[in-house]
Amino acid sequence: MVRAAEALSAEEQGTRRRLLSFLGWGSFVSFCGGVTVGSLRFFFPRILYEPPQQFIAGKPEDYQIGEVSTRMKKEQRVWMIRSEKGIYALISVCTHLGCTPIWHPAENRIKCPCHGSNFLVDGQNVAGPAPSPLFRAAISLDLVGNIVVDKSQKENQPGKRDEPPFTLPLT
Amino acid sequence: MANLSLKNVPQVIVESQVWKSIFRHGYTMNRRNRLLAITNNVFYHILPTKISRYGMRMRFHWGAGIITFYLFLILTFTGVLLMFYYVPTVPRAYYDMKDLQHVVPFGNILRNMHRYGAHAMVFMVMVHMARTFYTSSYKPPREFNWVVGVILLNFTFLLSFSGYLLPWDQLAIWAVTVGANMARATPLIGHEGPFANLIGMKVNNDVRFALLGGTTVGSATLLRFYVLHCIAFPIILTIFIVVHFWRVRRDGYSGDVPVRE
Ligand code: HEM
Ligand code: FES
């Protein structure tokens, strides 16, 4: 602004020419700005055609104590695990860079094929590059006694993850 | 620099090393210079008007730059042919690639030319960069062309990364999952990066989201990568290749010095 004012002679200031120049350049700049912002916004979709985060995982009786069930893994990317305290849905997304780890019953370990992270059944990271434990999804019972898992809510800190809604207590 | 006022800012910019490395010098607009601006314009004439044969020794340039360029031509040609059979949708992509291998006449050699050519191009672009480094070719007055080279290197990587997803097999999906998850940690614009929480970055509005067109690698990602791979990146690369060659001519070739025979 300072420069534009200086460039014009005193009598030109506040004249019609100055106003028109301001309007002209102003609309040019706002046009360019609008196109840029619009083009950037374009790349962020409003609607996602991604699978729902909630699903039903059978009844509590379907799972044995001490079992790491892989029945929901292919479709939903979770292991259904029943411990002494209750049932939890461990999300099989590696906390390193997002690959799908594999449950190895013989070694009692969960291992990631991408860069070799190892996890225990409770989700604890014990080897490899993964910086934190695996997450557990929110889990609850609906009115007819089905297990409902919601992957949009998750927790991986000991303590919190052992309480509802991240573990379903069973007596 | 002593009396830096708003008035001489343009002059300081025009006289800075950065500016001069890009635009070299201004032309005084007489007839001769206006003609030269046309005859020296790389968009009209790709080859140099004159070049010394001494700078053309293989042991100097290793042919690395030109091999990279030939590979790019081969990749463009084979890539366009692949587009006749390949459809970037989740149900079809993998099977189209298998058809190319086993059903399409000469499809396997075509696909392999594209795939091995892609690996070779990534390798050769790095060799070329090493050569220009070892021969000090990055030094003034060629520092701008080194920067153009870095852009070319990055777009070659981007082409390779985006192309890698297209076969839509396990390797492709997980490699891109891992690569895109690294973008989560980008400062400011990745939702797990430093300072990102200050501007409210979340899994569904950060740079990774825009790259994938969703929160996970899915059909939107396949289509996005296909368009980028087949249109955006090759065009950008072509433009910068032109600038790169133009600068080789304008800055003078670093090996273009007389040697005794
Ligand atoms: C104009 C240039 C290009 C076009 C039109 C093009 C097009 C394509 C198409 C249609 C595919 C899918 C077919 C398939 O998966 O076999 C593909 C795959 C691929 N492209 Fe390109 N491409 C181009 C340049 C490049 C370059 C410069 C690179 C890397 C330096 C590259 C790297 C790849 C890779 C790694 C694949 C996967 C190949 C495979 O698995 O068979 N492409 N490209
Ligand atoms: S993504 Fe699992 S170890 Fe790297």
Side-chain angles (χ1 to χ4, degrees):
Chain A
M1 284 313 274
V2 183
R3 259 187 55 74
E6 275 171 10
L8 295 168
S9 70
E11 74 224 40
E12 271 174 336
Q13 289 194 19
T15 60
R16 180 162 48 191
R17 178 188 295 188
R18 183 146 186 259
L19 177 72
L20 287 177
S21 144
F22 182 78
L23 286 178
W25 283 108
S27 36
F28 179 68
V29 168
S30 13
F31 172 75
C32 293
V35 169
T36 311
V37 171
S39 312
L40 286 178
R41 179 62 184 86
F42 172 81
F43 287 99
F44 294 82
R46 283 209 185 93
I47 296 182
L48 300 180
Y49 297 92
E50 290 178 350
Q53 298 288 298
Q54 272 198 11
F55 63 94
I56 289 183
K59 308 253 178 200
E61 310 85 81
D62 298 345
Y63 302 99
Q64 309 301 315
I65 293 183
E67 184 192 356
V68 177
S69 166
T70 51
R71 58 188 276 192
M72 303 313 290
K73 176 134 185 266
K74 190 156 188 214
E75 300 236 305
Q76 301 292 345
R77 267 184 106 180
V78 297
W79 293 285
M80 302 300 296
I81 302 175
R82 179 160 181 182
S83 67
E84 300 284 329
K85 289 185 211 151
I87 299 184
Y88 54 89
L90 194 64
I91 302 177
S92 39
V93 174
C94 183
T95 50
H96 178 225
L97 286 167
C99 289
T100 307
I102 297 164
W103 162 241
H104 295 268
E107 293 153 83
N108 208 23
R109 282 271 175 110
I110 292 164
K111 296 185 175 184
C112 182
C114 287
H115 319 98
S117 289
N118 283 20
F119 305 89
L120 301 181
V121 178
D122 64 359
Q124 183 59 46
N125 52 320
V126 285
S132 55
L134 293 173
F135 283 88
R136 295 182 192 182
I139 186 169
S140 57
L141 287 180
D142 68 7
L143 294 175
V144 288
N146 288 320
I147 301 176
V148 180
V149 179
D150 178 4
K151 288 182 285 182
S152 63
Q153 285 184 65
K154 49 188 187 169
E155 180 55 61
N156 70 349
Q157 291 311 310
K160 274 195 198 162
R161 70 182 182 197
D162 303 308
E163 310 273 308
F166 302 106
T167 298
L168 183 67
L170 292 176
T171 42
Chain B
M1 289 297 261
N3 50 354
L4 184 65
S5 79
L6 271 177
K7 250 188 171 162
N8 57 20
V9 162
Q11 197 192 345
V12 170
I13 292 176
V14 169
E15 281 171 7
S16 67
Q17 195 201 349
V18 173
W19 183 277
K20 281 190 171 168
S21 80
I22 302 173
F23 300 104
R24 296 160 62 89
H25 54 76
Y27 281 115
T28 40
M29 268 307 160
N30 55 37
R31 284 181 75 85
R32 180 172 178 274
N33 279 339
R34 290 164 80 171
L35 257 169
L36 277 177
I38 299 297
T39 51
N40 287 344
N41 190 320
V42 76
F43 291 100
Y44 303 143
H45 314 275
I46 301 245
L47 289 173
T49 36
K50 157 197 159 295
I51 193 154
S52 138
R53 57 200 261 251
Y54 299 111
M56 296 282 96
R57 290 166 309 164
M58 196 63 190
R59 76 184 129 122
F60 179 79
H61 56 67
W62 303 352
I66 205 68
I67 290 173
T68 314
F69 178 62
Y70 285 150
L71 285 167
F72 179 64
L73 293 185
I74 291 171
L75 285 164
T76 309
F77 187 73
T78 54
V80 169
L81 290 180
L82 288 172
M83 291 172 79
F84 281 86
Y85 281 97
Y86 174 86
V87 179
T89 56
V90 170
R92 282 196 61 181
Y94 179 74
Y95 295 102
D96 286 350
M97 192 256 304
K98 284 288 152 196
D99 272 3
L100 274 162
Q101 280 181 301
H102 303 296
V103 182
V104 176
F106 302 105
N108 199 29
I109 190 169
L110 183 66
R111 172 169 190 248
N112 282 341
M113 277 174 80
H114 197 76
R115 193 169 179 104
Y116 291 120
H119 292 318
M121 180 171 164
V122 169
F123 178 72
M124 285 316 291
V125 82
M126 294 193 287
V127 170
H128 175 59
M129 187 164 160
R131 190 284 284 176
T132 46
F133 178 74
Y134 290 135
T135 56
S136 294
S137 307
Y138 58 88
K139 288 180 182 170
R142 280 171 274 276
E143 65 288 40
F144 181 66
N145 221 9
W146 173 267
V147 175
V148 175
V150 173
I151 295 172
L152 289 174
L153 178 81
N154 280 305
F155 275 97
T156 308
F157 289 164
L158 283 173
L159 266 172
S160 172
F161 182 61
S162 57
Y164 205 83
L165 181 66
L166 302 181
W168 203 246
D169 52 10
Q170 287 294 317
L171 198 59
I173 294 171
W174 296 110
V176 170
T177 299
V178 165
N181 276 339
M182 291 182 192
R184 284 167 182 252
T186 319
L188 224 55
I189 52 174
H191 73 278
E192 283 170 6
F195 313 117
N197 50 348
L198 298 180
I199 55 172
M201 283 293 155
K202 286 196 287 295
V203 70
N204 61 356
N205 64 6
D206 70 341
V207 60
R208 173 175 168 276
F209 181 75
L211 186 69
L212 298 185
T215 57
T216 51
V217 175
S219 58
T221 317
L222 181 57
L223 184 56
R224 232 160 238 234
F225 274 42
Y226 177 75
V227 175
L228 290 174
H229 183 79
C230 298
I231 299 177
F233 293 155
I235 289 179
I236 297 172
L237 200 72
T238 306
I239 293 172
F240 280 103
I241 286 174
V242 170
V243 176
H244 198 63
F245 288 0
W246 166 67
R247 291 305 295 219
V248 169
R249 236 170 84 188
R250 300 298 302 281
D251 297 338
Y253 187 55
S254 70
D256 200 4
V257 287
V259 222
R260 265 180 292 130
E261 283 203 273

